[in-house]
PDB file of all heavy atoms in Angstrom:
ATOM      1  N   LEU S  43     -71.502-190.659 -98.847  1.00  0.00           N
ATOM      2  CA  LEU S  43     -71.966-191.143-100.167  1.00  0.00           C
ATOM      3  C   LEU S  43     -72.283-189.997-101.123  1.00  0.00           C
ATOM      4  O   LEU S  43     -72.692-190.217-102.253  1.00  0.00           O
ATOM      5  CB  LEU S  43     -73.216-192.005 -99.997  1.00  0.00           C
ATOM      6  CG  LEU S  43     -73.023-193.345 -99.272  1.00  0.00           C
ATOM      7  CD1 LEU S  43     -74.374-194.011 -99.038  1.00  0.00           C
ATOM      8  CD2 LEU S  43     -72.120-194.269-100.094  1.00  0.00           C
ATOM      9  N   GLY S  44     -72.140-188.741-100.619  1.00  0.00           N
ATOM     10  CA  GLY S  44     -72.360-187.618-101.517  1.00  0.00           C
ATOM     11  C   GLY S  44     -73.509-186.711-101.155  1.00  0.00           C
ATOM     12  O   GLY S  44     -73.747-185.702-101.842  1.00  0.00           O
ATOM     13  N   ALA S  45     -74.250-187.035-100.095  1.00  0.00           N
ATOM     14  CA  ALA S  45     -75.376-186.181 -99.711  1.00  0.00           C
ATOM     15  C   ALA S  45     -74.884-184.891 -99.090  1.00  0.00           C
ATOM     16  O   ALA S  45     -73.783-184.820 -98.550  1.00  0.00           O
ATOM     17  CB  ALA S  45     -76.267-186.917 -98.711  1.00  0.00           C
ATOM     18  N   THR S  46     -75.719-183.873 -99.169  1.00  0.00           N
ATOM     19  CA  THR S  46     -75.441-182.600 -98.523  1.00  0.00           C
ATOM     20  C   THR S  46     -76.226-182.537 -97.225  1.00  0.00           C
ATOM     21  O   THR S  46     -77.424-182.796 -97.218  1.00  0.00           O
ATOM     22  CB  THR S  46     -75.895-181.426 -99.419  1.00  0.00           C
ATOM     23  OG1 THR S  46     -75.270-181.573-100.683  1.00  0.00           O
ATOM     24  CG2 THR S  46     -75.565-180.088 -98.782  1.00  0.00           C
ATOM     25  N   ARG S  47     -75.539-182.228 -96.137  1.00  0.00           N
ATOM     26  CA  ARG S  47     -76.259-182.134 -94.868  1.00  0.00           C
ATOM     27  C   ARG S  47     -76.577-180.683 -94.571  1.00  0.00           C
ATOM     28  O   ARG S  47     -75.720-179.811 -94.725  1.00  0.00           O
ATOM     29  CB  ARG S  47     -75.393-182.697 -93.747  1.00  0.00           C
ATOM     30  CG  ARG S  47     -76.069-182.521 -92.383  1.00  0.00           C
ATOM     31  CD  ARG S  47     -75.345-183.262 -91.296  1.00  0.00           C
ATOM     32  NE  ARG S  47     -73.984-182.795 -91.198  1.00  0.00           N
ATOM     33  CZ  ARG S  47     -73.018-183.437 -90.527  1.00  0.00           C
ATOM     34  NH1 ARG S  47     -73.291-184.587 -89.929  1.00  0.00           N
ATOM     35  NH2 ARG S  47     -71.808-182.940 -90.464  1.00  0.00           N
ATOM     36  N   VAL S  48     -77.792-180.430 -94.112  1.00  0.00           N
ATOM     37  CA  VAL S  48     -78.155-179.064 -93.717  1.00  0.00           C
ATOM     38  C   VAL S  48     -78.516-179.027 -92.238  1.00  0.00           C
ATOM     39  O   VAL S  48     -78.730-180.062 -91.606  1.00  0.00           O
ATOM     40  CB  VAL S  48     -79.314-178.505 -94.573  1.00  0.00           C
ATOM     41  CG1 VAL S  48     -78.862-178.375 -96.026  1.00  0.00           C
ATOM     42  CG2 VAL S  48     -80.545-179.401 -94.461  1.00  0.00           C
ATOM     43  N   GLU S  49     -78.587-177.812 -91.726  1.00  0.00           N
ATOM     44  CA  GLU S  49     -78.761-177.599 -90.288  1.00  0.00           C
ATOM     45  C   GLU S  49     -80.216-177.524 -89.850  1.00  0.00           C
ATOM     46  O   GLU S  49     -80.530-177.702 -88.681  1.00  0.00           O
ATOM     47  CB  GLU S  49     -78.100-176.260 -89.880  1.00  0.00           C
ATOM     48  CG  GLU S  49     -76.649-176.145 -90.264  1.00  0.00           C
ATOM     49  CD  GLU S  49     -75.780-176.977 -89.339  1.00  0.00           C
ATOM     50  OE1 GLU S  49     -75.919-176.842 -88.109  1.00  0.00           O
ATOM     51  OE2 GLU S  49     -74.972-177.794 -89.862  1.00  0.00           O
ATOM     52  N   ARG S  50     -81.063-177.165 -90.792  1.00  0.00           N
ATOM     53  CA  ARG S  50     -82.463-176.952 -90.422  1.00  0.00           C
ATOM     54  C   ARG S  50     -83.354-177.583 -91.489  1.00  0.00           C
ATOM     55  O   ARG S  50     -82.991-177.618 -92.672  1.00  0.00           O
ATOM     56  CB  ARG S  50     -82.758-175.455 -90.355  1.00  0.00           C
ATOM     57  CG  ARG S  50     -81.917-174.700 -89.339  1.00  0.00           C
ATOM     58  CD  ARG S  50     -82.561-173.349 -88.990  1.00  0.00           C
ATOM     59  NE  ARG S  50     -83.107-172.703 -90.175  1.00  0.00           N
ATOM     60  CZ  ARG S  50     -82.579-171.624 -90.778  1.00  0.00           C
ATOM     61  NH1 ARG S  50     -81.503-171.051 -90.302  1.00  0.00           N
ATOM     62  NH2 ARG S  50     -83.159-171.132 -91.845  1.00  0.00           N
ATOM     63  N   PRO S  51     -84.529-178.038 -91.076  1.00  0.00           N
ATOM     64  CA  PRO S  51     -85.419-178.707 -92.046  1.00  0.00           C
ATOM     65  C   PRO S  51     -85.797-177.812 -93.221  1.00  0.00           C
ATOM     66  O   PRO S  51     -85.993-178.320 -94.332  1.00  0.00           O
ATOM     67  CB  PRO S  51     -86.646-179.096 -91.211  1.00  0.00           C
ATOM     68  CG  PRO S  51     -86.467-178.525 -89.852  1.00  0.00           C
ATOM     69  CD  PRO S  51     -85.044-178.134 -89.696  1.00  0.00           C
ATOM     70  N   ASP S  52     -85.880-176.495 -92.990  1.00  0.00           N
ATOM     71  CA  ASP S  52     -86.322-175.643 -94.107  1.00  0.00           C
ATOM     72  C   ASP S  52     -85.234-175.454 -95.154  1.00  0.00           C
ATOM     73  O   ASP S  52     -85.468-174.844 -96.193  1.00  0.00           O
ATOM     74  CB  ASP S  52     -86.838-174.283 -93.595  1.00  0.00           C
ATOM     75  CG  ASP S  52     -85.797-173.547 -92.770  1.00  0.00           C
ATOM     76  OD1 ASP S  52     -84.685-174.107 -92.576  1.00  0.00           O
ATOM     77  OD2 ASP S  52     -86.083-172.442 -92.307  1.00  0.00           O
ATOM     78  N   GLN S  53     -84.047-176.004 -94.876  1.00  0.00           N
ATOM     79  CA  GLN S  53     -82.958-175.856 -95.860  1.00  0.00           C
ATOM     80  C   GLN S  53     -82.861-177.032 -96.827  1.00  0.00           C
ATOM     81  O   GLN S  53     -82.049-177.020 -97.732  1.00  0.00           O
ATOM     82  CB  GLN S  53     -81.621-175.710 -95.119  1.00  0.00           C
ATOM     83  CG  GLN S  53     -81.553-174.422 -94.279  1.00  0.00           C
ATOM     84  CD  GLN S  53     -80.370-174.423 -93.325  1.00  0.00           C
ATOM     85  OE1 GLN S  53     -79.913-175.486 -92.906  1.00  0.00           O
ATOM     86  NE2 GLN S  53     -79.883-173.246 -92.975  1.00  0.00           N
ATOM     87  N   VAL S  54     -83.697-178.041 -96.630  1.00  0.00           N
ATOM     88  CA  VAL S  54     -83.551-179.225 -97.502  1.00  0.00           C
ATOM     89  C   VAL S  54     -84.140-179.036 -98.879  1.00  0.00           C
ATOM     90  O   VAL S  54     -83.906-179.845 -99.779  1.00  0.00           O
ATOM     91  CB  VAL S  54     -84.195-180.509 -96.894  1.00  0.00           C
ATOM     92  CG1 VAL S  54     -83.541-180.890 -95.585  1.00  0.00           C
ATOM     93  CG2 VAL S  54     -85.692-180.398 -96.777  1.00  0.00           C
ATOM     94  N   VAL S  55     -84.938-178.007 -99.043  1.00  0.00           N
ATOM     95  CA  VAL S  55     -85.676-177.919-100.307  1.00  0.00           C
ATOM     96  C   VAL S  55     -85.835-176.474-100.742  1.00  0.00           C
ATOM     97  O   VAL S  55     -85.800-175.556 -99.934  1.00  0.00           O
ATOM     98  CB  VAL S  55     -87.075-178.558-100.133  1.00  0.00           C
ATOM     99  CG1 VAL S  55     -87.961-177.701 -99.234  1.00  0.00           C
ATOM    100  CG2 VAL S  55     -87.727-178.815-101.479  1.00  0.00           C
ATOM    101  N   GLN S  56     -85.965-176.310-102.042  1.00  0.00           N
ATOM    102  CA  GLN S  56     -86.299-174.993-102.570  1.00  0.00           C
ATOM    103  C   GLN S  56     -87.708-175.045-103.124  1.00  0.00           C
ATOM    104  O   GLN S  56     -88.220-176.116-103.452  1.00  0.00           O
ATOM    105  CB  GLN S  56     -85.307-174.597-103.660  1.00  0.00           C
ATOM    106  CG  GLN S  56     -83.915-174.372-103.071  1.00  0.00           C
ATOM    107  CD  GLN S  56     -82.952-173.849-104.103  1.00  0.00           C
ATOM    108  OE1 GLN S  56     -82.994-174.276-105.263  1.00  0.00           O
ATOM    109  NE2 GLN S  56     -82.072-172.950-103.691  1.00  0.00           N
ATOM    110  N   SER S  57     -88.301-173.901-103.261  1.00  0.00           N
ATOM    111  CA  SER S  57     -89.693-173.835-103.702  1.00  0.00           C
ATOM    112  C   SER S  57     -89.910-174.677-104.966  1.00  0.00           C
ATOM    113  O   SER S  57     -89.172-174.560-105.942  1.00  0.00           O
ATOM    114  CB  SER S  57     -90.065-172.381-103.960  1.00  0.00           C
ATOM    115  OG  SER S  57     -91.408-172.305-104.360  1.00  0.00           O
ATOM    116  N   GLY S  58     -90.912-175.516-104.911  1.00  0.00           N
ATOM    117  CA  GLY S  58     -91.237-176.346-106.075  1.00  0.00           C
ATOM    118  C   GLY S  58     -90.527-177.682-106.097  1.00  0.00           C
ATOM    119  O   GLY S  58     -90.759-178.493-107.008  1.00  0.00           O
ATOM    120  N   GLY S  59     -89.666-177.927-105.134  1.00  0.00           N
ATOM    121  CA  GLY S  59     -88.913-179.179-105.114  1.00  0.00           C
ATOM    122  C   GLY S  59     -89.664-180.362-104.529  1.00  0.00           C
ATOM    123  O   GLY S  59     -90.897-180.355-104.410  1.00  0.00           O
ATOM    124  N   VAL S  60     -88.874-181.392-104.183  1.00  0.00           N
ATOM    125  CA  VAL S  60     -89.444-182.614-103.604  1.00  0.00           C
ATOM    126  C   VAL S  60     -88.790-182.882-102.244  1.00  0.00           C
ATOM    127  O   VAL S  60     -87.565-182.858-102.135  1.00  0.00           O
ATOM    128  CB  VAL S  60     -89.195-183.824-104.520  1.00  0.00           C
ATOM    129  CG1 VAL S  60     -89.576-185.132-103.800  1.00  0.00           C
ATOM    130  CG2 VAL S  60     -89.974-183.684-105.817  1.00  0.00           C
ATOM    131  N   VAL S  61     -89.616-183.145-101.234  1.00  0.00           N
ATOM    132  CA  VAL S  61     -89.106-183.531 -99.915  1.00  0.00           C
ATOM    133  C   VAL S  61     -89.681-184.879 -99.540  1.00  0.00           C
ATOM    134  O   VAL S  61     -90.892-185.094 -99.651  1.00  0.00           O
ATOM    135  CB  VAL S  61     -89.525-182.528 -98.821  1.00  0.00           C
ATOM    136  CG1 VAL S  61     -89.017-183.005 -97.456  1.00  0.00           C
ATOM    137  CG2 VAL S  61     -88.970-181.163 -99.128  1.00  0.00           C
TER     138      VAL S  61
END
Side-chain angles (χ1 to χ4, degrees):
Chain S
L43 293 173
T46 305
R47 176 171 59 194
V48 295
E49 305 285 309
R50 300 199 319 252
D52 57 359
Q53 295 168 332
V54 298
V55 70
Q56 293 186 321
S57 181
V60 170
V61 178

